[in-house]
Amino acid sequence: MEDMTLRRVLTAVLTATLFFTAAEFIWLGSEDVNGALTYAGRLNGALLLLVALIELAALAAYCHHLATGTRLAGYAGTTVLVAIAASIIVLD
């Protein structure tokens, strides 16, 4: 019973982290792409939007894993790992 509770809490934390980090990247990236005064600022915004797409792809892959119960196939596991690393970098 305790193991299932811990698993559900960790699943909820992971999905919330991926979702809210993607939302933060989208918000900051769109602000930079639309309003940056330099080319480097606009490029930084585009990079943030690209990382937001990676976060959303990882969230979709993880939700697919939860729904079907199968292992993450292909590059889905790598995508989730990269997205979690990006989330940890942002949270620091």
Side-chain angles (χ1 to χ4, degrees):
M1 180 72 176
E2 186 177 311
D3 183 44
M4 287 300 291
T5 305
L6 179 63
R7 177 179 233 149
R8 288 182 180 172
V9 167
L10 289 176
T11 299
V13 167
L14 180 62
T15 54
T17 301
L18 288 173
F19 178 75
F20 288 119
T21 306
E24 182 181 6
F25 283 153
I26 290 170
W27 178 59
L28 292 173
S30 64
E31 290 286 324
D32 281 349
V33 166
N34 294 328
L37 297 177
T38 63
Y39 179 72
R42 291 179 189 262
L43 191 61
N44 186 25
L47 183 64
L48 284 172
L49 290 176
L50 178 67
V51 174
L53 286 176
I54 293 171
E55 292 277 335
L56 291 175
L59 181 61
Y62 188 65
C63 288
H64 180 265
H65 162 70
L66 291 175
T68 60
T70 59
R71 295 187 64 173
L72 294 172
Y75 291 109
T78 306
T79 305
V80 172
L81 183 66
V82 167
I84 291 170
S87 298
I88 289 173
I89 289 171
V90 167
L91 292 176
D92 278 344

